[in-house]
Amino acid sequence: MTDAITLPQGILLAAIDMGSNSFHLNITQVDRDEIRPLHTLSERVQLGEAADTGELTQAAIRRGLACLEQFKRLLDETGPNSVRVVGTHALRRAKNRHDFTAPAEALLGLPIEVLEGEEEARLIYTGVAQTLSDNQTAHLVIDVGGGSSEFILGQHAQPLRLESLPLGCVSYGEAYFPAGDITAARFDTACRQATDTVSALHRRFSNNPWHETIGASGTLRAIEDMIVAAGWRTSGIDQASLTALRDKLLTFHHVGDIDLAGLSASRKSVVSAGLAITQGIFSGLRLESMSTSSSALREGVIHDLVGQIHHRH
């Protein structure tokens, strides 16, 4: 990952992304005008579990704080010059979010910024845009998270439209696959709900036709990994491979039984919901195919920090 700006050498920047499903820490070094990832930590926390209650559970809070303790140790060892800590959908909607943010800020010694949906979408696009070889044509970037999904239409490295919808693999998992049970009826109901939710975006986005659709973050990249591992495609996602993956998934009756090549153990509990949402997105937006990007929210946070430092210098 490179950038053409000139910055003081040897600067370390860090981003903590506290998502509804997983927490991530990225520590990046700026050296000779190159932005280079140095350390990456990720842990499945499921902060957004039991989202229908509107409150964070005490178990989720304990898992989140335990994860941040690990992150804090690495931050203390590396000593980054600047750190930005952001939270997403689970913290946006939690009535008791202060029960988590207060001890978390005390533990880290840093403020926590709870992002509004549009700001989350902007930062995701900022992260993905750095990886695009062609910024002249319009792109649609989609990020399926644990509590929400972001949709960003952009061109020339600038977002044109930003949308955040309540489609998340943690919340959908609890609503449509309770106790981890998988049936075709549950899957198709979840898929139809996602299709209905996303369909309105097609009308709004179709005024600005896009050249390529790009998936970001864990859910869509995990789906691509399973599709590639099965030999259905060499990269990316399309309608046919999603249908084939659905059929394969439905041979299992419980999330604990899922055994699919390319799927990590930590994603078993959310893969049914993630796949149903993804099929719904493809149907609602009438997509034919999607590539994926290794960059997302946390890379966007890093590039925002770079921009702030560049402005100061």
Side-chain angles (χ1 to χ4, degrees):
M1 189 184 306
T2 60
D3 208 299
I5 62 180
T6 301
L7 291 171
Q9 293 181 14
I11 281 182
L12 292 184
L13 306 176
I16 294 178
D17 161 16
M18 299 184 298
S20 301
N21 188 45
S22 300
F23 284 13
H24 307 273
L25 167 63
N26 278 27
I27 300 176
T28 298
Q29 184 174 40
V30 179
D31 191 20
R32 295 181 176 84
D33 303 330
E34 181 179 338
I35 301 172
R36 182 166 54 87
L38 202 60
H39 299 286
T40 302
L41 288 180
S42 296
E43 185 168 324
R44 180 171 164 266
V45 171
Q46 289 207 300
L47 189 66
E49 72 174 3
D52 58 332
T53 68
E55 293 193 348
L56 304 175
T57 67
Q58 291 305 306
I61 289 172
R62 286 194 297 271
R63 290 194 301 270
L65 293 175
C67 177
L68 292 181
E69 285 180 1
Q70 295 181 45
F71 288 3
K72 172 65 170 170
R73 285 194 288 272
L74 184 56
L75 289 172
D76 288 344
E77 290 171 11
T78 53
N81 301 79
S82 185
V83 184
R84 186 177 179 188
V85 186
V86 300
T88 59
H89 185 266
L91 290 176
R92 267 199 299 276
R93 72 182 306 278
K95 299 171 187 174
N96 65 334
R97 72 184 185 193
H98 188 72
D99 291 350
F100 173 75
T101 57
E105 289 181 336
L107 189 160
L108 293 171
L110 296 164
I112 291 173
E113 180 182 357
V114 180
L115 301 174
E116 293 301 323
E118 285 201 357
E119 174 65 0
E120 181 181 354
R122 183 190 72 80
L123 288 168
I124 290 166
Y125 189 81
T126 298
V128 173
Q130 310 303 319
T131 69
L132 299 178
S133 58
D134 174 18
N135 273 325
Q136 302 306 307
T137 56
H139 296 82
L140 176 63
V141 173
I142 301 173
D143 185 310
V144 177
S148 64
S149 293
E150 279 61 50
F151 301 79
I152 314 97
L153 187 66
Q155 189 171 3
H156 301 296
Q158 295 297 319
L160 304 173
R161 278 186 170 274
L162 305 165
E163 299 281 352
S164 179
L165 297 178
L167 298 164
C169 57
V170 174
S171 51
Y172 259 56
E174 292 174 351
Y176 297 102
F177 304 95
D181 295 324
I182 305 169
T183 67
R186 291 183 186 280
F187 187 96
D188 293 344
T189 300
C191 185
R192 283 194 299 272
Q193 180 60 52
T195 301
D196 290 346
T197 302
V198 172
S199 291
L201 289 187
H202 184 266
R203 294 189 291 273
R204 295 202 289 273
F205 281 13
S206 57
N207 293 329
N208 299 94
W210 60 92
H211 173 69
E212 183 183 11
T213 304
I214 303 166
S217 258
T219 298
L220 294 172
R221 296 194 71 203
I223 288 172
E224 180 189 43
D225 287 345
M226 289 183 284
I227 287 169
V228 171
W232 297 319
R233 287 178 64 93
T234 57
S235 67
I237 303 168
D238 64 7
Q239 285 275 18
S241 59
L242 286 175
T243 299
L245 186 55
R246 171 198 178 275
D247 292 345
K248 185 70 173 174
L249 178 70
L250 291 179
T251 64
F252 305 100
H253 303 297
H254 190 272
V255 294
D257 302 328
I258 298 173
D259 183 14
L260 292 170
L263 178 66
S264 67
S266 64
R267 285 211 163 261
K268 279 188 180 184
S269 64
V270 295
V271 67
S272 305
L275 181 58
I277 290 169
T278 302
Q279 279 205 297
I281 289 172
F282 266 68
S283 297
L285 291 177
R286 303 172 198 173
L287 301 178
E288 294 180 2
S289 64
M290 172 191 293
S291 60
T292 67
S293 171
S294 59
S295 292
L297 174 60
R298 47 204 175 275
E299 287 79 14
V301 171
I302 291 289
H303 277 274
D304 247 27
L305 287 174
V306 169
Q308 293 168 19
I309 293 171
H310 182 247
H311 181 74
R312 290 200 298 268
H313 287 81

